[in-house]
Amino acid sequence: IDIDCGEGDFFMFIVAKAMLYVSFAILMGAFILFTVPKSKRFEIKLSKKVLLILIGLVPLFGMSELLRLTIHLGEDFGYWLTFQNIVFSFEVGKGWIFLTGISVLLFFMVLFNNVAEDRFFAGLCLLLLIGMGVSVGYSSHAASLESFGILAHTLHFLAVITWSGVL
């Protein structure tokens, strides 16, 4: 299989990253606002179905870096073997596994609980989402460069999605 790694590859990576950030921001904003007492917040019209779709999309959009690495490194050894090696050996792969695992927990928490009405479960969802944000920081390029890279990227990522999510 001959896979072209040109501009289209880079464009799809950027689109996937942008959609990952948008999904995170909407989820962060929703869970933060759901923790506020209903009498003190404005009405939020975000259905459980939309929340579940966004939670399900996060691991898919988060997979873009894995696919980009697989395309670039997989020509010699085969794409499937390269993908497996990246997922289980590279930090970006381990971070994606962690992100996916927490996404599954978050998905079922939202599915089986009314997070829009129950502030306790909204808070738990918020904690899980923060854990997902840490996994994004863990698998970032900054984390591989500097010992404080994971902290810097995680705090920046969480700040951006929190700020934009509650707008």
Side-chain angles (χ1 to χ4, degrees), residues 12 27-28 54 59 62 107 115 137 147 162:
M12 291 306 293
L27 290 168
M28 181 66 84
L54 288 171
F107 184 89
V115 295
S147 59
T162 299

Side-chain angles (χ1 to χ4, degrees), residues 23-41:
S23 299
F24 261 107
I26 293 169
L27 290 168
M28 181 66 84
F31 294 139
I32 287 172
L33 293 174
F34 288 155
T35 61
V36 175
K38 205 167 186 183
S39 62
K40 297 184 192 263
R41 72 172 190 233

Side-chain angles (χ1 to χ4, degrees), residues 11-62:
F11 177 73
M12 291 306 293
F13 172 73
I14 296 298
V15 168
K17 275 289 198 200
M19 295 308 295
L20 176 69
Y21 279 49
V22 167
S23 299
F24 261 107
I26 293 169
L27 290 168
M28 181 66 84
F31 294 139
I32 287 172
L33 293 174
F34 288 155
T35 61
V36 175
K38 205 167 186 183
S39 62
K40 297 184 192 263
R41 72 172 190 233
F42 54 87
E43 185 179 352
I44 304 168
K45 295 192 178 200
L46 194 61
S47 70
K48 182 183 277 198
K49 183 178 180 179
V50 170
L51 290 174
L52 293 172
I53 289 170
L54 288 171
I55 294 165
L57 287 174
V58 165
L60 292 177
F61 293 139

Side-chain angles (χ1 to χ4, degrees), residues 52-118:
L52 293 172
I53 289 170
L54 288 171
I55 294 165
L57 287 174
V58 165
L60 292 177
F61 293 139
M63 187 184 236
S64 66
E65 183 65 30
L66 302 177
L67 294 177
R68 190 168 79 122
L69 282 170
T70 301
I71 289 169
H72 289 292
L73 302 174
E75 292 181 29
D76 295 333
F77 300 106
Y79 293 105
W80 178 243
L81 182 62
T82 302
F83 179 77
Q84 289 176 327
N85 190 29
I86 290 169
V87 168
F88 295 111
S89 302
F90 288 39
E91 299 304 318
V92 67
K94 295 173 188 175
W96 180 76
I97 290 172
F98 187 67
L99 175 76
T100 303
I102 296 177
S103 295
V104 170
L105 291 173
L106 183 59
F107 184 89
F108 286 112
M109 184 172 293
V110 171
L111 181 65
F112 294 122
N113 298 289
N114 189 356
V115 295
E117 300 293 328
D118 191 333

